[in-house]
Amino acid sequence: MAMNQQKAAEKLVVALDTADRQQGEWLVEQLYGLVAWFKVGLEAFTALGPDFVGWLVERGAKVFLDLKLHDIPNTVEKAARSCAQLGVSMLNVHAAGGAEMMRAALAGAQGGTPAGHTPPLVLAVTVLTSLDDLAWHQLGWRGSVAEAVIRWAELARSTGLAGVVCSPQELSRLRGAFPRPFLLLTPGIRPAGSQVGDQRRWATPQQAVQDGADLLVVGRPITQAPDPRAAAQQVLDAMAGAL
Ligand code: C5P
């Protein structure tokens, strides 16, 4: 079981969705030694900046910088380089930016990594889970969202990216089509009995692990809990039980 606890700890990413530096630091202190990965997304990054990311890296945390880069290849390459220079362990881009843009992100991630260090993993976001088939067709795309998710994941894989971000509902299909070591990272995790909130498509930690997730992003069920450390431990126990 201790072995599974260790494996679970390597798979949990806590989303630090806050614009308040004190709150962010407090959460990290609460979870010290228990959680290895933290996600810094648009809210925290636009409010707290690279300085907060640097603070996390200095504390020994593995940082997933979730900025979903999407621009011309040259700009994305430079942004990915800056991410790598901050010492983050993972970053992401929109697959919709195309193969050349994804290759540019990889080049930037590698180019910005100090010698002797491992470059950050680069993941692709396929179709945003906020888009349904109607919104998809309004944008002029053909076929279903489900087909596009597989097609764009294949493009990400063949471009050399480490994996994709996906919803819990997409896990089984993606895992079937893309064996490990291609990484599947999923948000939308709700421990049994917790508040579902605004997540419409969610899964329990056990289910996500069973369906083939490599990394589970959990935000509010841990960060808004009266005791974040106890909540994180509960999630880890659930994950370990399914490993
Ligand atoms: O608080 P909660 O556990 O819902 O946080 C989930 C995190 O994952 C948030 O940072 C959110 O932006 C992100 N996310 C998501 N659903 C997606 C993609 C990303 O909830 N489809």
Side-chain angles (χ1 to χ4, degrees), residues 45-56:
F45 194 73
T46 48
L48 309 178
D51 197 56
F52 181 54
V53 174
W55 179 84
L56 283 162

Side-chain angles (χ1 to χ4, degrees), residues 15-17 39 41 66 68 125 127-130 165-167 186-190 196 198-199 201 217-224:
L16 295 172
D17 292 322
K39 179 170 95 73
D66 177 22
K68 300 184 183 69
V125 173
V127 180
L128 288 172
T129 54
S130 48
V165 179
C166 67
S167 81
T186 185
I189 302 300
R190 290 293 176 265
V196 173
D198 55 0
Q199 291 285 6
R201 291 185 273 166
V217 173
V218 185
R220 289 160 292 178
I222 292 174
T223 60
Q224 305 294 308

Side-chain angles (χ1 to χ4, degrees), residues 21 25 49 69 79 97 99 116 120-121 131-132 138 154 157 163 182 207 209 226 232 238:
R21 172 94 185 227
E25 290 192 10
L69 303 175
L121 297 164
L131 294 177
D132 57 13
Q138 272 175 346
E154 176 52 36
R157 196 199 54 75
F182 195 68
Q207 192 65 50
V209 168

